[in-house]
């Protein structure tokens, strides 16, 4: 199975309203609620592709119960979340029907105790015994040490399990030093990590900081990957408009699913690009449109770029 | 005891953020959560004043469970909420620390079935047997007939229990025809009901539509009351700045607490005005500051106005 780690799981709530006006009162016409956090999103895409996937991380309180109840409904997905005494956070996405803009409000997440953090690490090590790959995704809740991901990557390496890291800020800066096999930053995260806004330079810099391969997601420009051996640029067949929420998580699922099927980098990248694009096109934020995915996949372009000096 | 009815209870969530920018992502620095819906707020103020109060209406789902758990912590308050298969709504108040503005997002509430509505009416009739007054407050959830309040007022009259109605829109228009003893609209509700933006004219019109006494809350201008015998204007000692959330619910609690203590209208109104003002001054939205209340009470002014023609 593929293991995904979401230390700061969330109950993602989406409110649709005709138009958001700051300082006013709004009746919400449509409410949707689903399990969230980046690793949970990655797991849902992997499960939809038919992969057996196990979700770990923390959950607690009433929102945590709702989240776990909803996860039981997903085929191919096993819930191995570790209970915490705090309450799983909510995120609220307010979608303005007129402008199409989404305003996001993210709660900080529960405080995790030392004992809970140690309990998680034991569960994690056990799960690695049957994992073919692990994705470490998203922000750290209060109480989890900022160097957490570096330690989890080292544990994965000791177990012979390839690890992908997708996070931001200090958790990314400290995590990359643990030498993940794959790092998947977006353009902003890459610039924050390296200080460079030039994607190729920043991607190469991120490799020097410890990542085996860096796959940078550049929005509509697709993916730029620098592996130990080569440099690749993967692009979707056409410029797409839609909701980019979850496109990065779908790219992670594409990379990992192809990795565990022993496919080479060009196939991993075309799958990642097609899944991302099919997520942007989907009417439901963070879901991917399967028909669009299957139609887009043959049209994605992956080019090997000349390696300079 | 005093009975308060909240057909559309809510779990009120407050998010504090540095500054709300539409279309952006925000980390919420502070989350608070409390039982809500206008009748629940009225009950909390009555309980804080030392009155025995019973809360009825509907609750359901995980948010309903959280709401009921929190109500058990309130002294003098008895929970007689009727279970529904749907889920109690959330309201989200986003407080912008820079501007002080509050942006409100209100879920619609659970769909109430015929059977649930009938079950509620039986519970309500039983509770009236030991009630000295009843407050009917707030919006109607989907499935409850728009004329609901008129029927509940008639049941109260048959039981000899004075009824106060505080609602808006169609529920107000239809409810006033049930001839509540007291109607407590704010200026907007009054204008919507009567078509007149002139407070005295509108208040008199609302009486003609069926209300025994109309107490109109005019924000910083205090309260205007038209009873069968007289006209009163009650004002706080000074113009106050703060958060007006819940000020109307505190006014309702002030009126009812003085009513069951057999105090005359001037005392009911001064108590309502002082409680409202102490709620505006409180740092926590919807709570009242007890010290401020006790200080403000002697300074409130109630004048009897000449009755024209």
């Amino acid at each position: 199975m593929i293991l995904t780690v979401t230390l700061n799981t969330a109950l993602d709530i989406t409110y649709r309203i005709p138009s958001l006006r700051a300082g006013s009162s709004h009746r919400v016409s449509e409410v949707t609620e689903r399990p969230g956090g980046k690793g949970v999103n990655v797991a849902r895409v992997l499960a939809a592709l038919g992969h057996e996937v196990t979700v770990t991380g923390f959950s607690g309180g009433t929102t945590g119960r709702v989240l776990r109840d909803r996860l039981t409904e997903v085929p191919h997905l096993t819930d191995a979340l570790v209970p915490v005494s705090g309450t799983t956070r909510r995120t609220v996405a307010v979608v303005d029907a007129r402008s199409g803009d989404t305003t996001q409000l993210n709660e900080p997440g529960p405080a995790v105790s030392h004992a809970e953090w140690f309990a998680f690490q034991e569960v994690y090590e056990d799960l690695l015994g049957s994992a073919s790959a692990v994705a470490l995704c998203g922000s750290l809740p209060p109480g989890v040490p900022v160097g957490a991901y570096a330690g989890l990557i080292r544990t994965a390496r000791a177990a012979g399990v390839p690890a992908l890291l997708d996070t931001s800020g200090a958790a990314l800066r400290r995590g990359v030093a643990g030498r993940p096999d794959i790092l998947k930053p977006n353009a902003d995260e890459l610039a924050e990590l390296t200080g460079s806004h030039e994607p190729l330079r920043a991607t190469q810099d991120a490799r020097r900081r410890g990542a085996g391969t860096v796959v940078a997601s550049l929005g509509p420009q697709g993916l730029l990957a620098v592996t130990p051996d080569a440099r690749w640029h993967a692009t979707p067949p056409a410029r797409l408009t839609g909701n980019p929420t979850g496109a990065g998580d779908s790219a992670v699922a594409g990379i990992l699913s192809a990795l565990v099927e022993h496919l080479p980098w060009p196939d991993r990248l075309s799958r990642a690009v097609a899944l991302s694009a099919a997520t942007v096109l989907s009417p439901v934020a963070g879901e991917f449109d399967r028909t669009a995915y299957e139609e887009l996949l043959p049209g994605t372009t992956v080019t090997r770029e000349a390696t300079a000096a």
Side-chain angles (χ1 to χ4, degrees), chain A:
Chain A
M1 57 85 175
I2 300 173
L3 180 63
T4 76
V5 173
T6 318
L7 296 173
N8 211 359
T9 54
L11 188 64
D12 287 341
I13 300 166
T14 302
Y15 288 157
R16 254 163 230 289
I17 59 172
S19 175
L20 179 64
R21 286 158 298 125
S24 295
S25 190
H26 307 77
R27 271 167 213 256
V28 177
S29 49
E30 195 190 316
V31 182
T32 56
E33 209 177 80
R34 60 168 212 169
K38 291 171 82 69
V40 171
N41 298 340
V42 169
R44 196 168 24 224
V45 176
L46 285 167
L49 292 171
H51 286 274
E52 293 304 317
V53 61
T54 298
V55 167
T56 190
F58 295 110
S59 78
T62 45
T63 44
R65 271 204 298 280
V66 174
L67 184 137
R68 300 186 81 160
D69 284 351
R70 298 290 298 275
L71 286 180
T72 62
E73 300 162 8
V74 183
H76 303 298
L77 188 150
T78 303
D79 168 4
L81 291 166
V82 174
V84 280
S85 63
T87 297
T88 295
R89 70 195 170 121
R90 288 168 290 222
T91 73
V92 177
V94 184
V95 180
D96 180 316
R98 192 173 304 168
S99 69
D101 285 348
T102 298
T103 305
Q104 189 76 35
L105 299 155
N106 298 329
E107 297 186 5
V112 173
S113 70
H114 285 299
E116 289 162 347
W117 173 233
F118 288 124
F120 166 77
Q121 287 169 282
E122 288 203 358
V123 168
Y124 173 73
E125 200 167 345
D126 281 353
L127 290 168
L128 283 174
S130 45
S132 51
V134 59
L136 305 160
C137 301
S139 64
L140 302 177
V144 169
V146 69
Y149 283 134
L152 298 179
I153 291 163
R154 284 186 209 106
T155 309
R157 188 161 48 248
V161 178
L164 181 151
L165 178 63
D166 183 5
T167 185
S168 60
L172 167 57
R173 208 159 44 245
R174 296 284 298 271
V176 73
R179 297 173 45 226
D181 297 273
I182 305 169
L183 186 71
K184 202 225 62 63
N186 62 29
D188 287 345
E189 290 157 355
L190 199 56
E192 201 195 346
L193 174 66
T194 65
S196 167
H197 287 272
E198 201 283 293
L200 178 59
R201 181 185 302 239
T203 303
Q204 289 170 324
D205 181 3
R207 276 203 72 234
R208 276 192 295 272
R209 286 165 190 263
T213 289
V214 177
V215 182
S217 54
L218 308 175
Q221 279 77 50
L223 298 174
L224 173 66
V226 179
T227 74
D229 314 310
R231 227 161 70 200
W232 304 94
H233 187 199
T235 48
R239 190 165 179 121
L240 308 158
T241 52
N243 187 341
T245 305
D249 302 330
S250 291
V252 169
I255 293 166
L256 284 189
S257 75
L259 179 145
V260 301
E261 293 170 33
H262 309 290
L263 297 174
W265 271 108
D267 294 314
R268 299 178 194 174
L269 297 173
S270 57
R271 196 177 278 190
V273 161
L275 278 171
S276 272
T279 303
V280 170
L281 289 174
S282 165
V284 182
E287 305 283 328
F288 75 96
D289 181 314
R290 176 176 295 275
T291 310
Y293 165 60
E294 284 164 6
E295 282 170 13
L296 289 163
L297 188 59
T300 59
T301 311
V302 183
T303 52
R304 185 174 177 139
E305 301 197 336
T307 315

